[in-house]
Amino acid sequence: MLPILQHQLTDQMWILGWIASLIAIGGFVAPFGGLVSRRFGAGYVMMTCGVMMSAAAIAGSFVENSLQLALLYTLLAGTAKGISNVVAKEAVGRCFTKNYATASGIARTGYSVGLIVFAPLVQLFLDTYGWRGTMLLVGAITMHSVASGAVMVATMQPELDQSNAYQTLPQTEHTNSSSAHESK
């Protein structure tokens, strides 16, 4: 998309290249991902990050200059990407205590498949819908991460409360009859 954006936004290529690189600024907020995840839950954080990334792509289709695009992609998409990467790794670690390496490997395979599939898909969108339509469609595809966050909310097990570790067992027929037998 860079040559098309350069022509449409009438900017130099290095400026647009910096915008793509600034998405990596999310690495600076990544350490807060664990804190946010523990406070609000991994699923809700993933859903919020999905909305942020999708909003950045959709709003990016309406920009008029490269500064607007840089702000959207740096503040919204970069932050969401940095936090969601940490939260996703943390969720895999919590859900898979056995075979963690296999589960982590399968989860990381999704990135590679996405890179292989997305490049020709974006080119198809560019040829068919132009760069603004492509940004809208990328935002719609990114919105699917909200659904994956919703699945995480539905499947994550609640944490055990260790402060009240002892639980009373319900009385069964056997214990009632044996105590009644002893009293005779």
Side-chain angles (χ1 to χ4, degrees):
M1 288 181 63
L2 288 179
I4 295 171
L5 288 175
Q6 179 187 15
H7 178 70
Q8 291 289 320
L9 299 177
T10 62
D11 277 330
Q12 295 178 1
M13 186 63 79
W14 68 271
I15 294 173
L16 297 172
W18 268 101
I19 292 171
S21 299
L22 284 176
I23 293 174
I25 204 165
F28 291 116
V29 297
F32 300 108
L35 298 171
V36 173
S37 175
R38 282 190 289 281
R39 173 71 172 103
F40 298 107
Y44 294 114
V45 172
M46 287 297 289
M47 289 173 27
T48 304
C49 288
V51 168
M52 288 171 63
M53 287 186 286
S54 181
I58 291 171
S61 69
F62 298 104
V63 299
E64 296 296 326
N65 59 44
S66 59
L67 177 63
Q68 294 170 344
L69 189 66
L71 289 174
L72 282 172
Y73 272 51
T74 303
L75 297 179
L76 282 178
T79 303
K81 182 182 175 291
I83 290 174
S84 65
N85 281 341
V86 171
V87 172
K89 290 176 186 174
E90 180 185 16
V92 169
R94 265 197 236 148
C95 291
F96 295 95
T97 55
K98 287 181 169 181
N99 299 324
Y100 171 75
T102 304
S104 181
I106 291 170
R108 297 294 146 238
T109 303
Y111 290 128
S112 301
V113 171
L115 287 173
I116 291 169
V117 170
F118 219 69
L121 188 64
V122 166
Q123 187 60 52
L124 175 71
F125 290 162
L126 281 170
D127 294 340
T128 308
Y129 302 107
W131 75 272
R132 292 185 189 273
T134 300
M135 297 279 263
L136 287 171
L137 289 168
V138 167
I141 291 170
T142 307
M143 189 63 81
H144 285 82
S145 60
V146 175
S148 72
V151 169
M152 289 173 67
V153 169
T155 60
M156 294 293 280
Q157 297 291 332
E159 300 275 335
L160 293 176
D161 183 16
Q162 296 297 326
S163 64
N164 190 10
Y166 294 106
Q167 299 176 359
T168 58
L169 296 174
Q171 295 267 332
T172 62
E173 186 65 33
H174 178 3
T175 56
N176 287 339
S177 64
S178 65
S179 62
H181 187 319
E182 290 173 3
S183 63
K184 288 184 182 177

